[in-house]
Structure formats: structure tokens, C-alpha cells
Amino acid sequence: MSKLKEKLASLMPEWRARVTRLLKEYGDVEIDKVYVRQFYGGMRGLKCLTTDISYLDPMEGIRFRGYTIPETLEKLPKAPGAEVPYVEGHLYLLLTGELPTEADVQDVISDLQKRGEVPDYVWATLRAMPRDTHPMTMFSTAVTSLQRESEFVKRYNAGMSKMDYWDPMFEDAMNLIAKLHTIAAYIYRMKYKDDTPISPDFSLDYGKNFAYMMGIDHPYDELSRLYFILHSDHESGNVSAHTTHLVASALSDAYYSLAAGLNGLAGPLHGLANQEVLRWSQNLMEQMGGKLPTKEYLQKYVWDTLNSGQVIPGYGHAVLRKTDPRYTAQREFALKHLPEDELFKMISLLYEVVPPILQEHGKAKNPWPNVDAHSGVLQWYYGIHEYDFYTVMFGVGRALGVLSNIIWDRALGQSIERPKSLTLEMLEERVGIK
Ligand code: CMX
């Protein structure tokens, strides 16, 4: 058994006892009310999910297991000379709630390296798809195709106690995480780099190996680590996390569950917004002959977008009410590594121009940028000019959080999800409309 799995097994009895007590002694305590607006408003603000992996405060932003983004980046172990922590250490934190030692991180690194080989049929599946298929479709298909490897399915079919569900869920999650960066890089180089995939180097950590397989030099390894950590988790109500949790609640395995979550991530109001930001910003730069627009021109462009009934991509959020600290962390990386880049200057100008316009427009509850407003410009700078690949990298990062969640879902016996629907007529009757 890996050390990480042993650690998880040692944590579970106490967590299970707390959940059992809560449900037994306080199961009927009311926490929140449901309002009519929430029926048609995407259940916004409704408190009916639980996770301990991360918590999103509207003003402060995400905390991973209690740590803010600056704290996470500061406290997790780093490779000698590196500026961004190991992805593997972040996974340890998400799963256990504890900061890993350097030895803990090395254990996770070597465990993932052993699980990293991708079966050839995955490549054959990807190659059977038309080359102009969206890379998110390829990514989610590759994950679904791996479902035949599921340990959970094998153990479930052989007959397994509910108390043990988390164990094969852990195996599936780790086997998947170990392969996702390789699959992503393969899709990239097959689709966009004249079909020249680079085999993984299993002596490297996750972020470094991804940069190596993408064929991009330092400091792209640092950016990869940052990107995967920042995108890992945003509590459990966002579309990708909730979908993964929902599908896993039917005891679908990690492969089915993650693929479903990735399909949700591929929507333009969620993860795909990062490609929209770049497309929208570069359209404007093209109009300007590659030059930075004036502030006045940019203001007009933003208003034109709003007046044509479209959203400003990368701005607004369902929960956040201030600048996303994931945006700030990426901005700090850009200020250090590409302060003079024209596109970065454009993204910075948008940061000045968009919030007051959204405030004046008066619709968006949050006029500030979210994570997607900044990720594209960094990828572009290091040579990834294919916007539609950005969400795939978001998906690699997001897998760390959503898979950690479904391991704990099984450990704590979360039930199959089945909220109750009402008809419009019933709602009208309940509020007194005749
Ligand atoms: N530009 C223009 N209008 C916006 C807006 C934006 N960036 N953000 C919100 N609004 C509008 C909404 O469309 C909504 O309009 P209607 O009343 O006509 O439906 C109104 O303002 C109120 O919306 P809200 O309560 O502030 O925001 P929601 O919780 O409904 O939606 C989000 C949140 C992220 C979908 C929305 O802000 C948006 O569409 N942003 C642009 C897309 C984006 O950046 N998505 C990425 C989010 C992060 C991620 O998941 O990756």
C-alpha cells in the first residue's frame, strides 16, 4: 500500500465518526431555506453540498484545506531552485488536509510515475477521431476509453463492502491522474505539432514532465505546476466538480465521473471561458493591427460586446465578489516573467477598463476578473497559440480536486444524489398564484 493510501486509511475512522454523529444527533437541524428564484436560478447560493477539500469565500477566494493560494504556494515543498511547489505535494494536501514533508512528496511522485503508462488503445482511440475534433472531446473520450481499467468495477462486481469503496476509488483516481498530463500533451502534439508526440520521462515530477512532453523549455515547467495547482479545486458546486460528484454518487467509477465533469468544464460559461478571453482580446488586437488599443477604443469594444448581448469572458463569477486570487497569482507570474509582453499589457488594460463598465452596465454581480481572464495570455507567451487546448490543461488540474472529492465521497458514504423537482404549476400554487 502506498504511504498516501495508508495515511488516508488512518484518517478515515475519525472523519466517519464525526459524520455519523452529525447525522444521528443533528440530522433534522435546518441549515438553509430554498427560495423560488433558486429553482430557475441555477440553485445559486443554495447550501446543500459538502466538501472538506476546499472552501470558496466570496471576498477572499479559494482556500485549499484551509490554506489561501499565497499560503499554499509558500508552504508546499518545492524542487530545489523552483518557484512553484510540486503538483504532487498539492495532491497530498487536497487528499489528507495536511502539508506534506519532502519525503511524502517524493512518495507521491514515485507512486504516480509507476502508474503513468498509457495503454496503446487510448492512442488508437484518439487517432480514430477526425483531427479537427475539439481537444476537450478528445480528452474526455480518452478518459472514458480507459474505463475498462477500473479497479472499482472489478472489486464491485466481485462483491465489496461499502466501507471499502474508497479504496478502489483511490486506485482509479491515482491511475487516472498519473496519465492525464501525458494524454493532454499527446493530444496537443498529435493535433497541432505535426503529429510528433513526446514520450513521458518518468524520472520527472508532474509539472516538469508535462512541460517536457509539450516540448517547451523552462520556465514552462513552473507555469504548468502553477496552472494545475490553481485550477485544481473550487469547492463542489461548480459545474465540473458537481458533475463529477453527481455521476460518482451513482457508484459510477472515476473514469465515467471525471469524463462527465470534463464535458461540463468544456462549456463557455465555465472552463472554456479561457479560450474565449484570448479569442476576444486578440480579435481586438487584430483590429488594431497588432497594437495595444487606446483606453477609449477598448471601452467602446467592451460596450459593443455587452450591447450585442454577449458576456465579457473572464469576468464575473457565481460566488466570488472580488478579483479571483487565481487571477492575481497568474498576474504575479506574468509581472515576473513577461512584463513587457503586448498581450499581457492588453490583459492588464482590460483589468482597468472592464470592472467600471460592468458596474455601470449593472447586471453582473461581480465585475472583477476570474481565473480564465489570465490563463490564456501565459500559455500564448510560451508558444501555445491553439486556444482550444487551454481547457484541456484546466481539466488536468481540475482532476486533482474532483477526484480527491469522490474518494472522500465514498469514504464518508455520501448517498446517490436525487433532489426533488416541482412543476411550475406547483410553484405557482405554493406562492399563492391562482
Ligand atoms: N459580462 C456580461 N454580463 C455578465 C457577466 C459578464 N462577464 N457576468 C454576469 N453577467 C450577467 C449575467 O449574464 C446575468 O445576466 P441575465 O440577468 O441577463 O441572465 C447577470 O449578469 C447576473 O449574473 P450574475 O449573477 O452576476 O452571474 P451568474 O452567477 O449568473 O454567472 C458567470 C456567473 C461566471 C457564468 C458569469 O459571470 C459569466 O457569464 N461570465 C463570463 C464567462 C466566464 O468568464 N466564465 C468563467 C467563470 C469561471 C470558471 O468557471 O471557469
Side-chain angles (χ1 to χ4, degrees), residues 44 269-270 273 306 311-312 314-318 363-365 370 372:
R44 197 75 76 258
L269 293 187
H270 191 16
L306 289 171
V311 296
I312 307 299
Y315 281 76
H317 199 272
K363 270 180 132 186
K365 293 189 189 70
N370 60 58
D372 296 319

